[in-house]
Amino acid sequence: MSSKIKLGILGGGGDSLIGILHRVASAMYDRYEVVGGVFNPEHEESLNFAKAIGIPTNRIYKDLDHLISEEKALPQEERMQVISVLTPNFLHFPMAKKLLENGFNVICEKPMTTTYEEAKILEKTLEQSKTIFAVTYTYTGYPMIRQMKEMIAAGEIGKVQKVDVQYYQGWINPIIHDSEKRANTWRLDPEKSGISCCVGDIGTHAFDMIEYVTGLEVQEVLADLNYLYEDNVMDIDGTVLLRFSEHVKGVLRSSQIATGEENNFAVKIYGEKAGLKWEQENPNYLYLLEDGQPMRVLKPGHAYNSELSLDGTKLPPGHPEGIFDSMGNIYKGVAKAIRNEDYHPAEFPTMKDGIRGMNFIEKAVESHKKGNVWVSITE
Ligand SMILES: NC(=O)c1ccc[n+]([C@@H]2O[C@H](COP(=O)([O-])OP(=O)(O)OC[C@H]3O[C@@H](n4cnc5c(N)ncnc54)[C@H](O)[C@@H]3O)[C@@H](O)[C@H]2O)c1
């Protein structure tokens, strides 16, 4: 029998955006094999998809309940060891909860749940289950993001004084101006997405990222969101002012109507001594800015990078690492945890990050709805 970790997948079928990313990422360090799952709510579709990607169909289940009961009936060493939840948002909580209650390790897509309350329930379930739980804030796996984190922690830019993060996309622009299309997109349906579209989908990546790289926690937010149409109840653009403390402040700009933008995610952290800048569309470059000095560009794979960054680099310098590699690094961290190997706590985002993310989404929407007022992030 293969010694690889047996991975099951929920969602991520042929029609999905994110399935391929998880499948490739999980294979990247030869640590996992996909053994089955429920790729699609239609069983026939799931079976066809499994055949198309060359997975035996004997562990392609009708639904999650069948997966749990049939997997638990297998001898322990054959059972799925971890399940990735890649379905639309509203299914993350019920699926992850059931999996944790039945002793499975879980890798869950973001946003972790649809409400903060659900997130807190999931936290309790995890405490009782004593399993491994990761949330895929994918971008935290990039080698140069890990390097940014380590440089800030080592004091290389001095005390952080300004944070600026932007995540601009334009994909909703052709949808939002067409009433039929905007009524038929799950991300604009609060029943499927939760209370927010833009802040919930990409604002949450940006929020997690700034806390990840700075090691600081946002204390208060003031949000101004845009919905564009009266019949659209979901934000599709949001600017959020952030307060970490009296003298550390920042801004988070997220948009899905930044016409023509693709995945323009840019993270800029400025300290007393220097600044660091990184852009997702050119993720192999980390820019170091200093007073009166030429800008320096740091790249992956060089010995000057931290151990955490180098652990996420597979090839010598000059071979670009991208989004698949970034997710691959998260899967690698989870594999180490499952196998009880030593790992750095920054190798994969956890329940705490998922909870902070849900807290942020709710507080940003609350701030906007109360007339753009400061709201504390209590936890
Ligand atoms: N980490 C990231 O960078 C990132 C990027 C994109 C999407 N996501 C997240 O991934 C999740 C999925 O997004 P997507 O864009 O792939 O969505 P999608 O709509 O493209 O795909 C959803 C998939 O889930 C399947 N599905 C739906 N109901 C199901 C059920 N009951 N059982 C099994 N499968 C079911 C669908 O058939 C489809 O294959 C979302 O929560 C989204 O926020 C994360």
PDB file of all heavy atoms in Angstrom, residues 143-174:
ATOM      1  N   PRO A 143       7.146  31.757  -1.127  1.00  0.00           N
ATOM      2  CA  PRO A 143       8.456  31.904  -0.463  1.00  0.00           C
ATOM      3  C   PRO A 143       8.786  33.353  -0.092  1.00  0.00           C
ATOM      4  O   PRO A 143       9.330  33.610   0.990  1.00  0.00           O
ATOM      5  CB  PRO A 143       9.450  31.377  -1.513  1.00  0.00           C
ATOM      6  CG  PRO A 143       8.651  30.436  -2.348  1.00  0.00           C
ATOM      7  CD  PRO A 143       7.243  30.971  -2.370  1.00  0.00           C
ATOM      8  N   MET A 144       8.460  34.332  -0.963  1.00  0.00           N
ATOM      9  CA  MET A 144       8.853  35.704  -0.643  1.00  0.00           C
ATOM     10  C   MET A 144       7.910  36.361   0.374  1.00  0.00           C
ATOM     11  O   MET A 144       8.272  37.349   1.011  1.00  0.00           O
ATOM     12  CB  MET A 144       8.992  36.557  -1.913  1.00  0.00           C
ATOM     13  CG  MET A 144      10.073  36.044  -2.860  1.00  0.00           C
ATOM     14  SD  MET A 144      11.571  35.368  -2.048  1.00  0.00           S
ATOM     15  CE  MET A 144      12.376  36.836  -1.447  1.00  0.00           C
ATOM     16  N   ILE A 145       6.719  35.797   0.554  1.00  0.00           N
ATOM     17  CA  ILE A 145       5.843  36.261   1.641  1.00  0.00           C
ATOM     18  C   ILE A 145       6.386  35.743   2.973  1.00  0.00           C
ATOM     19  O   ILE A 145       6.448  36.455   3.971  1.00  0.00           O
ATOM     20  CB  ILE A 145       4.386  35.795   1.392  1.00  0.00           C
ATOM     21  CG1 ILE A 145       3.744  36.670   0.323  1.00  0.00           C
ATOM     22  CG2 ILE A 145       3.543  35.779   2.661  1.00  0.00           C
ATOM     23  CD1 ILE A 145       3.576  38.141   0.728  1.00  0.00           C
ATOM     24  N   ARG A 146       6.820  34.488   2.942  1.00  0.00           N
ATOM     25  CA  ARG A 146       7.425  33.926   4.151  1.00  0.00           C
ATOM     26  C   ARG A 146       8.690  34.713   4.532  1.00  0.00           C
ATOM     27  O   ARG A 146       8.964  34.955   5.701  1.00  0.00           O
ATOM     28  CB  ARG A 146       7.771  32.458   3.919  1.00  0.00           C
ATOM     29  CG  ARG A 146       6.532  31.586   3.799  1.00  0.00           C
ATOM     30  CD  ARG A 146       6.922  30.167   3.458  1.00  0.00           C
ATOM     31  NE  ARG A 146       5.823  29.247   3.725  1.00  0.00           N
ATOM     32  CZ  ARG A 146       5.974  27.933   3.805  1.00  0.00           C
ATOM     33  NH1 ARG A 146       7.159  27.390   3.624  1.00  0.00           N
ATOM     34  NH2 ARG A 146       4.943  27.150   4.045  1.00  0.00           N
ATOM     35  N   GLN A 147       9.436  35.112   3.493  1.00  0.00           N
ATOM     36  CA  GLN A 147      10.644  35.905   3.733  1.00  0.00           C
ATOM     37  C   GLN A 147      10.283  37.271   4.332  1.00  0.00           C
ATOM     38  O   GLN A 147      10.923  37.756   5.266  1.00  0.00           O
ATOM     39  CB  GLN A 147      11.414  36.074   2.402  1.00  0.00           C
ATOM     40  CG  GLN A 147      12.666  36.908   2.492  1.00  0.00           C
ATOM     41  CD  GLN A 147      13.702  36.321   3.444  1.00  0.00           C
ATOM     42  OE1 GLN A 147      13.628  35.147   3.842  1.00  0.00           O
ATOM     43  NE2 GLN A 147      14.661  37.141   3.825  1.00  0.00           N
ATOM     44  N   MET A 148       9.235  37.873   3.794  1.00  0.00           N
ATOM     45  CA  MET A 148       8.775  39.172   4.295  1.00  0.00           C
ATOM     46  C   MET A 148       8.434  39.046   5.785  1.00  0.00           C
ATOM     47  O   MET A 148       8.832  39.868   6.608  1.00  0.00           O
ATOM     48  CB  MET A 148       7.538  39.576   3.482  1.00  0.00           C
ATOM     49  CG  MET A 148       7.062  40.982   3.655  1.00  0.00           C
ATOM     50  SD  MET A 148       5.682  41.197   2.481  1.00  0.00           S
ATOM     51  CE  MET A 148       5.538  42.947   2.408  1.00  0.00           C
ATOM     52  N   LYS A 149       7.695  38.008   6.103  1.00  0.00           N
ATOM     53  CA  LYS A 149       7.305  37.770   7.507  1.00  0.00           C
ATOM     54  C   LYS A 149       8.537  37.661   8.412  1.00  0.00           C
ATOM     55  O   LYS A 149       8.609  38.290   9.466  1.00  0.00           O
ATOM     56  CB  LYS A 149       6.475  36.477   7.584  1.00  0.00           C
ATOM     57  CG  LYS A 149       6.061  36.079   8.982  1.00  0.00           C
ATOM     58  CD  LYS A 149       5.290  34.780   8.984  1.00  0.00           C
ATOM     59  CE  LYS A 149       4.901  34.369  10.391  1.00  0.00           C
ATOM     60  NZ  LYS A 149       4.035  35.327  11.081  1.00  0.00           N
ATOM     61  N   GLU A 150       9.504  36.855   7.964  1.00  0.00           N
ATOM     62  CA  GLU A 150      10.682  36.617   8.791  1.00  0.00           C
ATOM     63  C   GLU A 150      11.539  37.877   8.935  1.00  0.00           C
ATOM     64  O   GLU A 150      12.117  38.129   9.982  1.00  0.00           O
ATOM     65  CB  GLU A 150      11.516  35.475   8.192  1.00  0.00           C
ATOM     66  CG  GLU A 150      10.782  34.143   8.187  1.00  0.00           C
ATOM     67  CD  GLU A 150      10.844  33.419   9.513  1.00  0.00           C
ATOM     68  OE1 GLU A 150      10.022  33.753  10.399  1.00  0.00           O
ATOM     69  OE2 GLU A 150      11.697  32.539   9.670  1.00  0.00           O
ATOM     70  N   MET A 151      11.619  38.688   7.867  1.00  0.00           N
ATOM     71  CA  MET A 151      12.414  39.929   7.941  1.00  0.00           C
ATOM     72  C   MET A 151      11.762  40.918   8.906  1.00  0.00           C
ATOM     73  O   MET A 151      12.447  41.586   9.676  1.00  0.00           O
ATOM     74  CB  MET A 151      12.548  40.561   6.548  1.00  0.00           C
ATOM     75  CG  MET A 151      13.504  39.804   5.650  1.00  0.00           C
ATOM     76  SD  MET A 151      13.501  40.435   3.966  1.00  0.00           S
ATOM     77  CE  MET A 151      14.466  41.937   4.155  1.00  0.00           C
ATOM     78  N   ILE A 152      10.436  40.992   8.861  1.00  0.00           N
ATOM     79  CA  ILE A 152       9.742  41.915   9.776  1.00  0.00           C
ATOM     80  C   ILE A 152       9.925  41.440  11.211  1.00  0.00           C
ATOM     81  O   ILE A 152      10.245  42.218  12.107  1.00  0.00           O
ATOM     82  CB  ILE A 152       8.248  42.053   9.386  1.00  0.00           C
ATOM     83  CG1 ILE A 152       8.134  42.740   8.017  1.00  0.00           C
ATOM     84  CG2 ILE A 152       7.471  42.832  10.453  1.00  0.00           C
ATOM     85  CD1 ILE A 152       6.737  42.761   7.413  1.00  0.00           C
ATOM     86  N   ALA A 153       9.790  40.112  11.414  1.00  0.00           N
ATOM     87  CA  ALA A 153       9.944  39.558  12.772  1.00  0.00           C
ATOM     88  C   ALA A 153      11.368  39.787  13.299  1.00  0.00           C
ATOM     89  O   ALA A 153      11.562  40.006  14.492  1.00  0.00           O
ATOM     90  CB  ALA A 153       9.625  38.071  12.766  1.00  0.00           C
ATOM     91  N   ALA A 154      12.347  39.770  12.402  1.00  0.00           N
ATOM     92  CA  ALA A 154      13.750  39.953  12.823  1.00  0.00           C
ATOM     93  C   ALA A 154      14.093  41.427  13.001  1.00  0.00           C
ATOM     94  O   ALA A 154      15.241  41.775  13.284  1.00  0.00           O
ATOM     95  CB  ALA A 154      14.675  39.302  11.801  1.00  0.00           C
ATOM     96  N   GLY A 155      13.141  42.309  12.777  1.00  0.00           N
ATOM     97  CA  GLY A 155      13.372  43.746  12.995  1.00  0.00           C
ATOM     98  C   GLY A 155      14.078  44.441  11.839  1.00  0.00           C
ATOM     99  O   GLY A 155      14.552  45.566  11.973  1.00  0.00           O
ATOM    100  N   GLU A 156      14.138  43.799  10.669  1.00  0.00           N
ATOM    101  CA  GLU A 156      14.915  44.385   9.570  1.00  0.00           C
ATOM    102  C   GLU A 156      14.311  45.663   8.999  1.00  0.00           C
ATOM    103  O   GLU A 156      15.006  46.443   8.371  1.00  0.00           O
ATOM    104  CB  GLU A 156      15.129  43.343   8.459  1.00  0.00           C
ATOM    105  CG  GLU A 156      16.066  42.254   8.921  1.00  0.00           C
ATOM    106  CD  GLU A 156      16.500  41.325   7.804  1.00  0.00           C
ATOM    107  OE1 GLU A 156      16.701  41.786   6.672  1.00  0.00           O
ATOM    108  OE2 GLU A 156      16.618  40.122   8.092  1.00  0.00           O
ATOM    109  N   ILE A 157      13.016  45.879   9.203  1.00  0.00           N
ATOM    110  CA  ILE A 157      12.448  47.160   8.746  1.00  0.00           C
ATOM    111  C   ILE A 157      12.136  48.079   9.935  1.00  0.00           C
ATOM    112  O   ILE A 157      11.568  49.152   9.767  1.00  0.00           O
ATOM    113  CB  ILE A 157      11.205  46.976   7.836  1.00  0.00           C
ATOM    114  CG1 ILE A 157      10.001  46.395   8.607  1.00  0.00           C
ATOM    115  CG2 ILE A 157      11.532  46.122   6.620  1.00  0.00           C
ATOM    116  CD1 ILE A 157       8.673  46.522   7.836  1.00  0.00           C
ATOM    117  N   GLY A 158      12.509  47.643  11.114  1.00  0.00           N
ATOM    118  CA  GLY A 158      12.218  48.444  12.313  1.00  0.00           C
ATOM    119  C   GLY A 158      10.754  48.312  12.693  1.00  0.00           C
ATOM    120  O   GLY A 158      10.027  47.452  12.167  1.00  0.00           O
ATOM    121  N   LYS A 159      10.316  49.206  13.562  1.00  0.00           N
ATOM    122  CA  LYS A 159       8.925  49.134  14.038  1.00  0.00           C
ATOM    123  C   LYS A 159       7.981  49.464  12.884  1.00  0.00           C
ATOM    124  O   LYS A 159       8.164  50.460  12.178  1.00  0.00           O
ATOM    125  CB  LYS A 159       8.771  50.158  15.171  1.00  0.00           C
ATOM    126  CG  LYS A 159       7.473  50.070  15.916  1.00  0.00           C
ATOM    127  CD  LYS A 159       7.510  51.043  17.107  1.00  0.00           C
ATOM    128  CE  LYS A 159       6.164  51.145  17.785  1.00  0.00           C
ATOM    129  NZ  LYS A 159       5.102  51.681  16.945  1.00  0.00           N
ATOM    130  N   VAL A 160       6.971  48.630  12.696  1.00  0.00           N
ATOM    131  CA  VAL A 160       6.002  48.872  11.611  1.00  0.00           C
ATOM    132  C   VAL A 160       5.215  50.144  11.913  1.00  0.00           C
ATOM    133  O   VAL A 160       4.756  50.353  13.043  1.00  0.00           O
ATOM    134  CB  VAL A 160       5.045  47.664  11.475  1.00  0.00           C
ATOM    135  CG1 VAL A 160       3.901  47.974  10.508  1.00  0.00           C
ATOM    136  CG2 VAL A 160       5.806  46.421  11.030  1.00  0.00           C
ATOM    137  N   GLN A 161       5.059  51.011  10.872  1.00  0.00           N
ATOM    138  CA  GLN A 161       4.305  52.253  11.113  1.00  0.00           C
ATOM    139  C   GLN A 161       3.192  52.492  10.094  1.00  0.00           C
ATOM    140  O   GLN A 161       2.304  53.317  10.317  1.00  0.00           O
ATOM    141  CB  GLN A 161       5.252  53.461  11.163  1.00  0.00           C
ATOM    142  CG  GLN A 161       6.116  53.621   9.911  1.00  0.00           C
ATOM    143  CD  GLN A 161       7.320  54.541  10.156  1.00  0.00           C
ATOM    144  OE1 GLN A 161       7.690  54.797  11.295  1.00  0.00           O
ATOM    145  NE2 GLN A 161       7.920  55.039   9.082  1.00  0.00           N
ATOM    146  N   LYS A 162       3.222  51.782   8.970  1.00  0.00           N
ATOM    147  CA  LYS A 162       2.175  51.980   7.960  1.00  0.00           C
ATOM    148  C   LYS A 162       1.973  50.677   7.189  1.00  0.00           C
ATOM    149  O   LYS A 162       2.944  50.038   6.769  1.00  0.00           O
ATOM    150  CB  LYS A 162       2.618  53.102   7.004  1.00  0.00           C
ATOM    151  CG  LYS A 162       1.755  53.261   5.765  1.00  0.00           C
ATOM    152  CD  LYS A 162       0.450  53.951   6.071  1.00  0.00           C
ATOM    153  CE  LYS A 162      -0.405  54.102   4.827  1.00  0.00           C
ATOM    154  NZ  LYS A 162      -1.760  54.580   5.150  1.00  0.00           N
ATOM    155  N   VAL A 163       0.702  50.319   7.002  1.00  0.00           N
ATOM    156  CA  VAL A 163       0.368  49.088   6.288  1.00  0.00           C
ATOM    157  C   VAL A 163      -0.578  49.443   5.146  1.00  0.00           C
ATOM    158  O   VAL A 163      -1.538  50.186   5.345  1.00  0.00           O
ATOM    159  CB  VAL A 163      -0.337  48.111   7.262  1.00  0.00           C
ATOM    160  CG1 VAL A 163      -0.947  46.942   6.532  1.00  0.00           C
ATOM    161  CG2 VAL A 163       0.631  47.631   8.334  1.00  0.00           C
ATOM    162  N   ASP A 164      -0.283  48.937   3.968  1.00  0.00           N
ATOM    163  CA  ASP A 164      -1.156  49.220   2.817  1.00  0.00           C
ATOM    164  C   ASP A 164      -1.305  47.925   2.021  1.00  0.00           C
ATOM    165  O   ASP A 164      -0.325  47.373   1.533  1.00  0.00           O
ATOM    166  CB  ASP A 164      -0.522  50.302   1.941  1.00  0.00           C
ATOM    167  CG  ASP A 164      -1.392  50.680   0.753  1.00  0.00           C
ATOM    168  OD1 ASP A 164      -1.889  49.781   0.038  1.00  0.00           O
ATOM    169  OD2 ASP A 164      -1.569  51.878   0.523  1.00  0.00           O
ATOM    170  N   VAL A 165      -2.529  47.432   1.936  1.00  0.00           N
ATOM    171  CA  VAL A 165      -2.748  46.199   1.190  1.00  0.00           C
ATOM    172  C   VAL A 165      -3.890  46.411   0.212  1.00  0.00           C
ATOM    173  O   VAL A 165      -4.891  47.051   0.531  1.00  0.00           O
ATOM    174  CB  VAL A 165      -2.996  45.002   2.157  1.00  0.00           C
ATOM    175  CG1 VAL A 165      -4.229  45.208   2.995  1.00  0.00           C
ATOM    176  CG2 VAL A 165      -3.104  43.692   1.423  1.00  0.00           C
ATOM    177  N   GLN A 166      -3.676  45.917  -0.989  1.00  0.00           N
ATOM    178  CA  GLN A 166      -4.689  46.092  -2.034  1.00  0.00           C
ATOM    179  C   GLN A 166      -4.953  44.752  -2.704  1.00  0.00           C
ATOM    180  O   GLN A 166      -4.004  44.030  -3.008  1.00  0.00           O
ATOM    181  CB  GLN A 166      -4.153  47.056  -3.090  1.00  0.00           C
ATOM    182  CG  GLN A 166      -4.925  47.028  -4.401  1.00  0.00           C
ATOM    183  CD  GLN A 166      -4.155  47.717  -5.513  1.00  0.00           C
ATOM    184  OE1 GLN A 166      -3.865  48.888  -5.408  1.00  0.00           O
ATOM    185  NE2 GLN A 166      -3.822  46.987  -6.564  1.00  0.00           N
ATOM    186  N   TYR A 167      -6.232  44.398  -2.873  1.00  0.00           N
ATOM    187  CA  TYR A 167      -6.550  43.231  -3.695  1.00  0.00           C
ATOM    188  C   TYR A 167      -7.610  43.666  -4.702  1.00  0.00           C
ATOM    189  O   TYR A 167      -8.781  43.816  -4.350  1.00  0.00           O
ATOM    190  CB  TYR A 167      -7.034  42.061  -2.822  1.00  0.00           C
ATOM    191  CG  TYR A 167      -6.954  40.714  -3.537  1.00  0.00           C
ATOM    192  CD1 TYR A 167      -6.780  39.530  -2.845  1.00  0.00           C
ATOM    193  CD2 TYR A 167      -7.044  40.636  -4.934  1.00  0.00           C
ATOM    194  CE1 TYR A 167      -6.699  38.294  -3.498  1.00  0.00           C
ATOM    195  CE2 TYR A 167      -6.949  39.415  -5.594  1.00  0.00           C
ATOM    196  CZ  TYR A 167      -6.787  38.260  -4.868  1.00  0.00           C
ATOM    197  OH  TYR A 167      -6.714  37.061  -5.527  1.00  0.00           O
ATOM    198  N   TYR A 168      -7.170  43.902  -5.920  1.00  0.00           N
ATOM    199  CA  TYR A 168      -8.075  44.374  -6.965  1.00  0.00           C
ATOM    200  C   TYR A 168      -8.294  43.313  -8.040  1.00  0.00           C
ATOM    201  O   TYR A 168      -7.344  42.784  -8.613  1.00  0.00           O
ATOM    202  CB  TYR A 168      -7.505  45.644  -7.632  1.00  0.00           C
ATOM    203  CG  TYR A 168      -7.788  46.928  -6.872  1.00  0.00           C
ATOM    204  CD1 TYR A 168      -8.461  46.927  -5.646  1.00  0.00           C
ATOM    205  CD2 TYR A 168      -7.376  48.156  -7.388  1.00  0.00           C
ATOM    206  CE1 TYR A 168      -8.710  48.108  -4.963  1.00  0.00           C
ATOM    207  CE2 TYR A 168      -7.621  49.347  -6.706  1.00  0.00           C
ATOM    208  CZ  TYR A 168      -8.294  49.309  -5.494  1.00  0.00           C
ATOM    209  OH  TYR A 168      -8.545  50.476  -4.814  1.00  0.00           O
ATOM    210  N   GLN A 169      -9.579  43.041  -8.286  1.00  0.00           N
ATOM    211  CA  GLN A 169      -9.996  42.169  -9.399  1.00  0.00           C
ATOM    212  C   GLN A 169     -11.063  42.928 -10.195  1.00  0.00           C
ATOM    213  O   GLN A 169     -11.677  43.860  -9.684  1.00  0.00           O
ATOM    214  CB  GLN A 169     -10.647  40.884  -8.890  1.00  0.00           C
ATOM    215  CG  GLN A 169      -9.754  40.000  -8.035  1.00  0.00           C
ATOM    216  CD  GLN A 169     -10.480  38.765  -7.513  1.00  0.00           C
ATOM    217  OE1 GLN A 169     -11.693  38.774  -7.324  1.00  0.00           O
ATOM    218  NE2 GLN A 169      -9.732  37.699  -7.275  1.00  0.00           N
ATOM    219  N   GLY A 170     -11.309  42.470 -11.417  1.00  0.00           N
ATOM    220  CA  GLY A 170     -12.363  43.113 -12.208  1.00  0.00           C
ATOM    221  C   GLY A 170     -13.429  42.142 -12.679  1.00  0.00           C
ATOM    222  O   GLY A 170     -14.349  42.516 -13.407  1.00  0.00           O
ATOM    223  N   TRP A 171     -13.383  40.877 -12.199  1.00  0.00           N
ATOM    224  CA  TRP A 171     -14.207  39.822 -12.821  1.00  0.00           C
ATOM    225  C   TRP A 171     -15.714  40.048 -12.668  1.00  0.00           C
ATOM    226  O   TRP A 171     -16.495  39.576 -13.488  1.00  0.00           O
ATOM    227  CB  TRP A 171     -13.811  38.433 -12.287  1.00  0.00           C
ATOM    228  CG  TRP A 171     -14.218  38.146 -10.873  1.00  0.00           C
ATOM    229  CD1 TRP A 171     -13.493  38.412  -9.762  1.00  0.00           C
ATOM    230  CD2 TRP A 171     -15.452  37.553 -10.420  1.00  0.00           C
ATOM    231  NE1 TRP A 171     -14.185  38.018  -8.640  1.00  0.00           N
ATOM    232  CE2 TRP A 171     -15.390  37.487  -9.015  1.00  0.00           C
ATOM    233  CE3 TRP A 171     -16.592  37.063 -11.063  1.00  0.00           C
ATOM    234  CZ2 TRP A 171     -16.423  36.959  -8.239  1.00  0.00           C
ATOM    235  CZ3 TRP A 171     -17.618  36.535 -10.288  1.00  0.00           C
ATOM    236  CH2 TRP A 171     -17.529  36.491  -8.898  1.00  0.00           C
ATOM    237  N   ILE A 172     -16.122  40.799 -11.655  1.00  0.00           N
ATOM    238  CA  ILE A 172     -17.575  40.969 -11.469  1.00  0.00           C
ATOM    239  C   ILE A 172     -18.129  42.079 -12.365  1.00  0.00           C
ATOM    240  O   ILE A 172     -19.340  42.177 -12.562  1.00  0.00           O
ATOM    241  CB  ILE A 172     -17.910  41.161  -9.970  1.00  0.00           C
ATOM    242  CG1 ILE A 172     -18.420  39.822  -9.423  1.00  0.00           C
ATOM    243  CG2 ILE A 172     -18.932  42.241  -9.706  1.00  0.00           C
ATOM    244  CD1 ILE A 172     -18.859  39.808  -7.994  1.00  0.00           C
ATOM    245  N   ASN A 173     -17.240  42.876 -12.935  1.00  0.00           N
ATOM    246  CA  ASN A 173     -17.730  44.001 -13.755  1.00  0.00           C
ATOM    247  C   ASN A 173     -18.682  43.556 -14.871  1.00  0.00           C
ATOM    248  O   ASN A 173     -19.775  44.105 -15.003  1.00  0.00           O
ATOM    249  CB  ASN A 173     -16.547  44.795 -14.308  1.00  0.00           C
ATOM    250  CG  ASN A 173     -17.007  46.093 -14.914  1.00  0.00           C
ATOM    251  OD1 ASN A 173     -17.715  46.858 -14.279  1.00  0.00           O
ATOM    252  ND2 ASN A 173     -16.646  46.323 -16.159  1.00  0.00           N
ATOM    253  N   PRO A 174     -18.325  42.539 -15.672  1.00  0.00           N
ATOM    254  CA  PRO A 174     -19.265  42.132 -16.737  1.00  0.00           C
ATOM    255  C   PRO A 174     -20.522  41.452 -16.201  1.00  0.00           C
ATOM    256  O   PRO A 174     -21.485  41.262 -16.944  1.00  0.00           O
ATOM    257  CB  PRO A 174     -18.455  41.152 -17.592  1.00  0.00           C
ATOM    258  CG  PRO A 174     -17.205  40.874 -16.890  1.00  0.00           C
ATOM    259  CD  PRO A 174     -17.040  41.809 -15.741  1.00  0.00           C
TER     260      PRO A 174
END
